[in-house]
Amino acid sequence: MTEIIDGNAVAQSIRDDLSTAIDQLADAGHTPTLATVLMSDDPASETYVSMKQSDCEEVGIEALDIDIDPEADASELYDTVSELNADESVNGILVQMPVPDHVSDRQVLRAIDPRKDVDGFHPENVGRLVAGDARYKPCTPHGIQKLIDSAGVDTEGKEAVVVGRSDIVGKPMANLLIQKAPGGNATTTVCHSRTEDLAEKTRSADILVAAAGVPEMIDGEMVAEGATVIDVGINRVDVSEQGSEGSQTESDEADTDKGYELVGDVEFESAKEKAGAITPVPGGVGPMTRAMLLYNTVKATGLQHDIDVDLS
Ligand code: GUN
């Protein structure tokens, strides 16, 4: 029987576990505080940010919700980030990506104080991750490590194949899988749009992470018998025309009844026939991305106040 990995349940247990650390911080007089900054009128981004806000409320993290007009000058965003960097009551800063074209995402990510960079996207944090000394593991790949572990799959010595080389998922995922650490020690291949004979590579995977942002590009023929299949894609496919409206790798669990449906990068039905364990879309990776953001915010608060919080 193929195990369907329940991301909602694993995310709930992560949130439950965070309560000990949040209580510890409260005893020391600190409420973890996350500032989300949205400079976009994209409905999907708006949904993602509002879900992150309500997650914070649920676990007792204070959430500051900052909206910037997408037409505003880039300086408005940089000034906001500077203010949040200087504000000692703010522990984590998340600028929702993508930002408008007239704003450099690279520059924005570098402007965030790396100690408050709960996405783990600042070059200092990327460098630390690669060096095996992660301060904040990026939320999606960290959540995937937890999902793989929850399915009772040991990554050590396994063949892992990551499809996609984004800065947000593919690259950090591969880095975590090769670390000499729990959840790592896998022999890891990264595939991308220029990979030749992709199916041959994916069929060699004991652990297959699909994060290319292409609807249902991985079908059952591309999956090895018994593989663990992690589907990171969240693609909005127009239900009337079956055309893709674009794709993101984010924590989208809403919006399914608005003229489109969400499909992953994996053709679930055929892949399920081959996989030993597989994540659904929605309800797989998405909730984990959000849970690990809460985790990083709590961790950040502990680090900033020199409190050794109890996080597993
Ligand atoms: N846009 C899509 N995914 C993410 C994410 O994990 N963090 C931020 N800040 N923006 C995103």
Side-chain angles (χ1 to χ4, degrees), residues 1 16 42 51 66 157 166 196 201 207 239 261 279 304:
M1 266 299 280
D16 291 345
D42 169 43
M51 289 195 289
I66 299 165
S166 69
E196 289 182 9
K201 311 279 190 303
I207 296 163
V239 280
E261 69 172 329
T279 60
Q304 286 157 33

Side-chain angles (χ1 to χ4, degrees), residues 127-179:
R128 285 184 62 152
L129 174 77
V130 174
D133 178 31
R135 181 193 266 138
Y136 306 120
K137 292 185 187 178
C139 303
T140 301
H142 191 189
I144 291 170
Q145 276 192 315
K146 299 270 184 197
L147 285 176
I148 294 171
D149 184 53
S150 79
V153 173
D154 187 357
T155 51
E156 183 167 332
K158 298 281 165 47
E159 297 287 332
V161 173
V162 179
V163 182
R165 55 177 159 183
S166 69
D167 293 338
I168 293 180
V169 184
K171 287 182 198 167
M173 185 75 253
N175 265 303
L176 288 175
L177 286 164
I178 60 169
Q179 294 296 331

Side-chain angles (χ1 to χ4, degrees), residues 219-294:
D219 64 19
E221 295 285 300
M222 300 170 77
V223 174
E225 201 71 52
T228 301
V229 178
I230 306 291
D231 190 350
V232 187
I234 295 172
N235 306 288
R236 292 179 173 208
V237 175
D238 189 320
V239 280
S240 52
E241 294 172 24
Q242 289 297 306
S244 172
E245 285 191 350
S247 87
Q248 305 211 21
T249 48
E250 250 279 15
S251 44
D252 193 345
E253 297 303 304
D255 296 344
T256 44
D257 52 357
K258 294 187 181 161
Y260 55 83
E261 69 172 329
L262 297 176
V263 300
D265 287 0
V266 175
E267 196 185 271
F268 184 79
E269 289 306 325
S270 62
K272 184 170 67 112
E273 297 303 311
K274 303 285 279 301
I278 187 168
T279 60
V281 175
V285 172
M288 292 302 293
T289 298
R290 288 159 45 201
M292 301 327 288
L293 174 65
L294 305 175

